[in-house]
Short mmCIF file of all heavy atoms in Angstrom, two decimals:
data_model
loop_
_atom_site.label_atom_id
_atom_site.label_comp_id
_atom_site.label_asym_id
_atom_site.label_seq_id
_atom_site.Cartn_x
_atom_site.Cartn_y
_atom_site.Cartn_z
N ASP F 178 0.18 8.10 0.04
CA ASP F 178 0.56 7.19 -1.05
C ASP F 178 0.21 7.80 -2.41
O ASP F 178 -0.69 8.64 -2.50
CB ASP F 178 -0.23 5.88 -0.87
CG ASP F 178 0.47 4.68 -1.50
OD1 ASP F 178 1.51 4.88 -2.14
OD2 ASP F 178 -0.03 3.56 -1.32
N ASP F 179 0.91 7.36 -3.44
CA ASP F 179 0.59 7.72 -4.83
C ASP F 179 0.52 9.23 -5.05
O ASP F 179 -0.32 9.70 -5.82
CB ASP F 179 -0.77 7.11 -5.25
CG ASP F 179 -0.83 5.61 -5.05
OD1 ASP F 179 0.23 4.97 -5.09
OD2 ASP F 179 -1.95 5.07 -4.85
N THR F 182 -1.06 11.69 -8.22
CA THR F 182 -2.09 11.11 -9.08
C THR F 182 -3.46 11.72 -8.78
O THR F 182 -4.38 11.61 -9.58
CB THR F 182 -2.18 9.58 -8.90
OG1 THR F 182 -2.44 9.30 -7.52
CG2 THR F 182 -0.89 8.92 -9.32
N ASP F 201 4.42 8.98 -6.74
CA ASP F 201 3.93 7.88 -7.56
C ASP F 201 4.92 7.49 -8.67
O ASP F 201 5.61 8.33 -9.24
CB ASP F 201 2.58 8.26 -8.18
CG ASP F 201 1.88 7.03 -8.73
OD1 ASP F 201 1.35 6.26 -7.92
OD2 ASP F 201 1.91 6.82 -9.96
N LYS F 202 4.91 6.20 -8.95
CA LYS F 202 5.77 5.60 -9.98
C LYS F 202 5.67 6.31 -11.33
O LYS F 202 6.64 6.40 -12.08
CB LYS F 202 5.37 4.13 -10.13
CG LYS F 202 6.14 3.36 -11.18
CD LYS F 202 5.71 1.90 -11.19
CE LYS F 202 6.63 1.06 -12.05
NZ LYS F 202 6.68 1.51 -13.46
N LEU F 203 4.47 6.79 -11.64
CA LEU F 203 4.23 7.48 -12.90
C LEU F 203 5.26 8.58 -13.17
O LEU F 203 5.78 8.70 -14.27
CB LEU F 203 2.83 8.10 -12.81
CG LEU F 203 2.07 8.34 -14.07
CD1 LEU F 203 1.53 7.02 -14.60
CD2 LEU F 203 0.89 9.28 -13.78
N GLU F 234 8.57 5.91 -5.51
CA GLU F 234 8.01 4.57 -5.76
C GLU F 234 8.39 4.07 -7.15
O GLU F 234 8.50 4.85 -8.09
CB GLU F 234 6.48 4.64 -5.75
CG GLU F 234 5.85 4.89 -4.42
CD GLU F 234 4.34 4.61 -4.50
OE1 GLU F 234 3.61 5.39 -5.15
OE2 GLU F 234 3.92 3.61 -3.93
CA1 CA Y 4 0.87 3.62 -7.39
#
Side-chain angles (χ1 to χ4, degrees):
D178 206 355
D179 305 333
T182 57
D201 195 76
K202 179 177 190 301
L203 206 75
E234 290 193 290

